[in-house]
Amino acid sequence: MGRTRRRIPSVVPLALSVVVAVALSGCSDGGGKKDTSEATAKDFLAKWQAGDIPGAANLTDDPAKATTQLTEAGKQLQLRQAEYTPKSYSKDNGTLTYSAKLTVQGIPQPIAFDSAVPVVKKDDKTVVKWQSTIIHPQYTEGAKFSNTRKSPDRAPIQDRDGKNLAGATPAVAISLWPAQMGNNAEAIYAALSDPVFDKDIPKLRDTVAKSNPDQKVPVVTLRKDVFDSKARAKLAPFGAAIKLDDITLQTSDKAKQLVGSVGDADADTLKKPGYENAAAGDQVGKSGLQARYQAQLGGTPTSKVMIKGPSGQEIATLASTEGKPGTAVKTTLDPRVQALAEKVMAENTNGMNASIVAIDTKTGGILAAANNPASGSNRAFEGHYAPGSTFKTVTAAALIQAGLKPTDPAACDPTVVVNGQTFKNYDGLQPIPNANFGTDFQQSCNTGFISQRDRIQNDTLTKVAGDVFGIGQSWDVGASTFDGAVPPADSPNKKAASMIGQGDVQASPLVMASVAATIASGTFNQPYLVDDPALKKVASKPVDPALGQQLKSLMQSVVQGGTAQMLKSIPGTVGAKTGTAEFSEGGKILTNGWMIAFKDGIAVAVIVEKGESGGKAAGPVVQAFLSAV
């Protein structure tokens, strides 16, 4: 028997035909062409969000007008970042709704609202129908955004006793109002080319050209006495084109590199984290603690973002913030010790580049730091130097932990050869055949130290430097620092070099001052400059008492009969270690002179760049400092 065949219906069921029709209507304009309206609106939002104003404008029916209004709106708002999120598209009216989230310079919280992007056909092409209300529903033709603000007084930076390190100085902030410059523009630029203003005029022209003509463009801030005597008359003829604001500057006579400077906010500065509450024309931190703690010191301005009509009438308020004053930053600096550190840098370094750091041995608080010259980078904290023989304090700790005693024999020979490389002592040190390890430390004998290299492993110095002295860990001091590097040796030669603070070993004066402080107190306390707000510091760690006492006695012996006898007459418990570190420059081998020391509760490190030796170059600086501290 054959099977009966069933007929396939010749008509598609209605339900299925409806589904197909709906599906097709979503991708066709009825003439068989794909409907790109929603995609065009989304592309417009994506390019606008990415900052591609020309690209977004070219998707509209009026690219020139769209470019102008989108650009002006961003300038008026002082827009930092924008997020435009598509919501729903309506085929009935050809409109894509979206939600906006705008981050505006100087306004703490984002501004949020909804708007819509209409789409039309033009010359058989889908385009955005440009209208200013795309930017904001109430941003009608002729309207402008207004971002007004008043900054609070800047909070001070204080010393350890709560007294201001940065004092108040009357000043005048000079700005241009582009819309008012008119025919006087060239005369204004000519006046501002005077050296008293210290301005790059071509760069200023470019800034003005790119700025909102109805908002002031910062030019320079001058002390009020300088403005009155040298600048006021030059700017007087230009009336409303010049905006003058009386302000108070935070200036410091002490610890200038640590406290840092304050100046006019520029575009590059405002992009940095911590400057979200600041805006063009504000006085903001440019360096040092002033920059690190900008958000805290600068406070929150009283601000209001509005849409205003063509006649200046208020149409809508988009954001309003009640300002808050800044709060002080309290440091660990001792003004007397800081003044002394700056004095010895100026008077005892023979004009050579040098740095000094002083630390409270009981807490790790930084009492003073200074450099000569007192400009440029803060080498006392950030310098990368071979520490030379001052690092023998760390090597001594490693060898003592490995079982070596200060009384154990360790001949100080003229040279020692390691894997074909010859190491020698500093010029002037005579051989000491019957030396023990304590004598090697006291006289800073390289060969005596290197002869003990088999007692430690390639990574021993790395471990001891980190575990006992905190070197190479990440220190939050409250300022930018280099916290040292002691990488494991990858050869016998590298290990030998590391034992005397050469090779790949690197440290800053701050790191070596901390080594001296750890030995003096018997506890590693991470150095820190800022006391309030509190920092997340590396945990303090006691040194093994027996080890700590031996290291302290070794440093005291250097003062009593070794390379730091210039400190012998200083009263109190005094210990030291000298160092002469070699480095290469221009094909020549040069040296930096180091000394680290402690006196009772203060530890200090000094480096004199290109100094002949630690004793000759750094010794007089440490002597002058510890004699007066």
Side-chain angles (χ1 to χ4, degrees), residues 151-284:
S151 297
D153 288 339
R154 191 173 184 85
I157 295 173
Q158 300 173 332
D159 64 24
R160 65 187 304 176
D161 298 322
K163 296 179 180 178
N164 291 354
L165 285 167
T169 300
V172 177
I174 304 168
S175 303
L176 293 177
W177 198 268
Q180 298 291 330
M181 292 173 68
N183 295 331
N184 286 326
E186 292 306 316
I188 291 171
Y189 288 128
L192 291 173
S193 66
D194 188 283
V196 70
F197 300 106
D198 191 25
K199 291 303 296 182
D200 181 334
I201 299 302
K203 186 175 180 180
L204 178 60
R205 286 178 183 271
D206 184 60
T207 301
V208 170
K210 294 177 180 177
S211 298
N212 179 2
D214 290 314
Q215 288 185 342
K216 62 185 180 181
V217 177
V219 177
V220 69
T221 297
L222 300 177
R223 289 200 327 266
K224 193 170 189 310
D225 59 331
V226 173
F227 174 80
D228 287 339
S229 62
K230 298 182 178 181
R232 185 182 292 277
K234 292 180 173 63
L235 301 180
F238 306 118
I242 306 293
K243 303 295 291 183
L244 304 176
D245 294 300
D246 291 324
I247 63 171
T248 300
L249 285 179
Q250 292 283 336
T251 58
S252 175
D253 293 328
K254 295 185 179 70
K256 290 182 180 180
Q257 285 179 299
L258 301 180
V259 172
S261 62
V262 174
D264 296 325
D266 55 36
D268 290 337
T269 301
L270 293 175
K271 293 175 184 176
K272 298 177 182 178
Y275 290 79
E276 292 81 4
N277 288 349
D282 286 359
Q283 290 291 296
V284 297

Side-chain angles (χ1 to χ4, degrees), residues 453-461 495:
R453 63 190 179 279
D454 291 340
R455 292 178 179 269
I456 61 176
Q457 303 301 311
N458 284 355
D459 63 350
T460 301
L461 292 178
K495 181 167 70 171

Side-chain angles (χ1 to χ4, degrees), residues 3 6 91 116 201 278 303 320 338 347 408 417 488 500 566 615 628:
R3 297 183 62 184
R6 298 184 61 186
K91 282 184 60 67
I201 299 302
S303 56
S320 181
Q338 178 64 35
E347 297 179 359
D408 287 343
V417 178
I500 58 173
M566 72 285 293

Side-chain angles (χ1 to χ4, degrees), residues 1-233:
M1 289 177 58
R3 297 183 62 184
T4 304
R5 291 179 175 267
R6 298 184 61 186
R7 268 183 84 193
I8 298 175
S10 60
V11 179
V12 178
L14 179 60
L16 181 58
S17 68
V18 170
V19 171
V20 172
V22 170
L24 290 174
S25 70
C27 60
S28 171
D29 61 5
K33 295 181 180 180
K34 184 177 180 180
D35 185 356
T36 60
S37 301
E38 182 176 358
T40 298
K42 288 181 177 179
D43 287 347
F44 170 83
L45 291 176
K47 290 182 182 296
W48 186 18
Q49 177 172 303
D52 182 6
I53 300 299
N58 283 335
L59 294 174
T60 73
D61 61 348
D62 193 342
K65 188 174 183 180
T67 297
T68 298
Q69 292 187 327
L70 288 172
T71 301
E72 288 303 314
K75 289 180 180 179
Q76 292 161 9
L77 283 168
Q78 298 184 50
L79 190 64
R80 284 176 62 96
Q81 185 179 359
E83 295 179 26
Y84 304 116
T85 305
K87 295 179 72 176
S88 61
Y89 178 73
S90 170
K91 282 184 60 67
D92 293 338
N93 56 18
T95 300
L96 174 69
T97 58
Y98 75 91
S99 61
K101 184 179 179 182
L102 308 183
T103 303
V104 174
Q105 190 67 51
I107 306 298
Q109 301 300 324
I111 298 172
F113 57 87
D114 289 344
S115 193
V117 180
V119 182
V120 296
K121 286 283 188 180
K122 181 180 181 182
D123 300 329
D124 203 31
K125 181 182 177 182
T126 303
V127 293
V128 171
K129 180 176 176 54
W130 179 253
Q131 51 196 42
S132 61
T133 51
I134 292 174
I135 298 172
H136 186 281
Q138 293 169 286
Y139 193 73
T140 53
E141 288 298 325
K144 293 181 179 180
F145 290 111
S146 171
N147 185 345
T148 60
R149 56 202 308 284
K150 180 176 175 57
S151 297
D153 288 339
R154 191 173 184 85
I157 295 173
Q158 300 173 332
D159 64 24
R160 65 187 304 176
D161 298 322
K163 296 179 180 178
N164 291 354
L165 285 167
T169 300
V172 177
I174 304 168
S175 303
L176 293 177
W177 198 268
Q180 298 291 330
M181 292 173 68
N183 295 331
N184 286 326
E186 292 306 316
I188 291 171
Y189 288 128
L192 291 173
S193 66
D194 188 283
V196 70
F197 300 106
D198 191 25
K199 291 303 296 182
D200 181 334
I201 299 302
K203 186 175 180 180
L204 178 60
R205 286 178 183 271
D206 184 60
T207 301
V208 170
K210 294 177 180 177
S211 298
N212 179 2
D214 290 314
Q215 288 185 342
K216 62 185 180 181
V217 177
V219 177
V220 69
T221 297
L222 300 177
R223 289 200 327 266
K224 193 170 189 310
D225 59 331
V226 173
F227 174 80
D228 287 339
S229 62
K230 298 182 178 181
R232 185 182 292 277

Side-chain angles (χ1 to χ4, degrees), residues 12 57 100 123 126 133 173 178 405 423 454 528 541 555 560 628:
V12 178
D123 300 329
T126 303
T133 51
K405 299 181 179 63
F423 291 86
D454 291 340
Y528 64 103
K541 185 176 181 180
M555 287 188 69
Q560 294 304 312

Side-chain angles (χ1 to χ4, degrees), residues 250 327 491-492 497 586:
Q250 292 283 336
T327 55
S491 69

